[in-house]
Amino acid sequence: MPNKLLEIKDLHVQASNKEIIRGLSLSLGKGEVHILMGPNGAGKSTLVNAIMGHPQYKVTGGSIVFEGEDITSATTDERARKGIFLSFQSPEEIPGITVENFLRTACSAVTGKPLRVLAFKRELEQRMEELHMDKSYASRYLNVGFSGGEKKKDEILQMLMMNPKLAILDETDSGLDVDAVRIVSQGVRKYKNKDNSLLIITHNTNILEDITPDFVHVLVEGRIVKTGGADLIEEINRSGFGEFAQLASI
């Protein structure tokens, strides 16, 4: 289908010689917001790292297809250049590289074209203002000395500047206060359009107050056991994941 962006078919993934993802299938269309929820240890982070091509996660079966191309064996940088972005659950600190230089290099690598410096600086300042980030952070080393909330805002800044086709947010709202969650949500809304897609992994549904999902998936023991609409979130908030556990063994 021309509207299909990502298609995962019968995926099996191992980490440390243990199978974590067990025959998972998932399809994302352009313009869609998908929410992935599940208990601790269900395999959510394993799945997104496999999509991104992290070398510590070994795909032992199935396929990952992006815009009609099988990328199951593609390297992480190849996937990034094709337009896949992953916001990390715990962003790393990188001494010696400023936020601005990191973003300039990343954006140039993704597009394969040199950047117009003044236009880049103007957009960077605009995006930082939208995220309520002090402009001085552009000249600070990436995430060094940043609070948890500042690191998460920086991840959203990267997403907005790189403008990927598929953005995967792995518990970006984790540990944020109400105001920070609202700012992150606003950044996500600014990114979203009819040509890109979002896959949001979350335990905390606060980030979803300003974002309406098209599909909600429940992941238990490495398999998606139920898919529904936004009302599925209310069911999870009300009853937890206990009722879905038995579906994983079927």
Side-chain angles (χ1 to χ4, degrees), residues 12 19 22 29 37-38 44-46 56 85 97 100 111 130 138 155 157 171 184 186 189 202-203 208-209 242 248:
H12 293 254
E19 186 173 57
R22 306 183 298 119
M37 304 182 73
K44 300 184 296 296
S45 292
T46 296
Q56 292 184 4
F85 171 87
I97 301 177
E100 181 176 346
T111 63
E130 291 170 351
E155 292 278 286
L157 175 65
E171 298 195 26
V184 167
Q186 290 171 355
R189 286 207 316 273
T202 183
H203 280 287
L208 305 178
E209 291 180 3

Side-chain angles (χ1 to χ4, degrees), residues 6-201:
L6 177 73
E7 192 162 11
I8 300 172
K9 303 175 182 178
D10 194 27
L11 191 68
H12 293 254
V13 181
Q14 286 185 355
S16 301
N17 295 320
K18 179 182 178 181
E19 186 173 57
I20 307 296
I21 301 299
R22 306 183 298 119
L24 183 148
S25 295
L26 177 66
S27 181
L28 278 70
K30 294 179 181 178
E32 294 177 351
V33 176
H34 290 245
I35 307 299
L36 186 65
M37 304 182 73
N40 290 331
K44 300 184 296 296
S45 292
T46 296
L47 173 62
V48 299
N49 277 289
I51 294 173
M52 201 67 227
H54 194 299
Q56 292 184 4
Y57 297 86
K58 182 180 179 182
V59 175
T60 58
S63 62
I64 303 171
V65 177
F66 187 70
E67 289 196 307
E69 179 183 355
D70 191 325
I71 62 168
T72 311
S73 300
T75 61
T76 299
D77 62 302
E78 289 172 337
R79 300 182 198 213
R81 285 196 296 270
K82 292 180 186 300
I84 303 177
F85 171 87
L86 172 60
S87 169
F88 293 101
Q89 186 174 342
S90 301
E92 294 288 335
E93 297 185 2
I94 306 180
I97 301 177
T98 66
V99 170
E100 181 176 346
N101 285 342
F102 172 83
L103 282 170
R104 185 184 300 162
T105 301
C107 290
S108 181
V110 167
T111 63
K113 301 176 183 178
L115 299 177
R116 297 172 59 187
V117 176
L118 291 179
F120 173 82
K121 281 182 171 289
R122 282 196 297 269
E123 183 180 1
L124 179 60
E125 290 181 358
Q126 176 188 338
R127 294 303 191 184
M128 293 184 77
E129 184 176 348
E130 291 170 351
L131 293 171
H132 298 191
M133 294 180 70
D134 191 302
K135 293 178 183 179
S136 66
Y137 275 70
S139 59
R140 290 180 58 175
Y141 292 149
L142 186 65
N143 291 325
V144 176
F146 287 21
S147 69
E150 289 163 345
K151 288 180 179 180
K152 298 301 179 71
K153 287 183 184 179
D154 185 59
E155 292 278 286
I156 299 301
L157 175 65
Q158 294 174 33
M159 179 185 73
L160 291 173
M161 292 298 295
M162 296 171 70
N163 193 29
K165 296 174 182 176
L166 170 63
I168 305 171
L169 307 184
D170 187 5
E171 298 195 26
T172 300
D173 53 341
S174 176
L176 300 185
D177 60 30
V178 173
D179 291 334
V181 168
R182 186 176 297 113
I183 292 169
V184 167
S185 297
Q186 290 171 355
V188 171
R189 286 207 316 273
K190 289 181 181 296
Y191 158 79
K192 189 70 196 72
N193 62 48
K194 63 181 179 61
D195 295 317
N196 59 31
S197 295
L198 268 165
L199 176 59
I200 301 175
I201 291 83

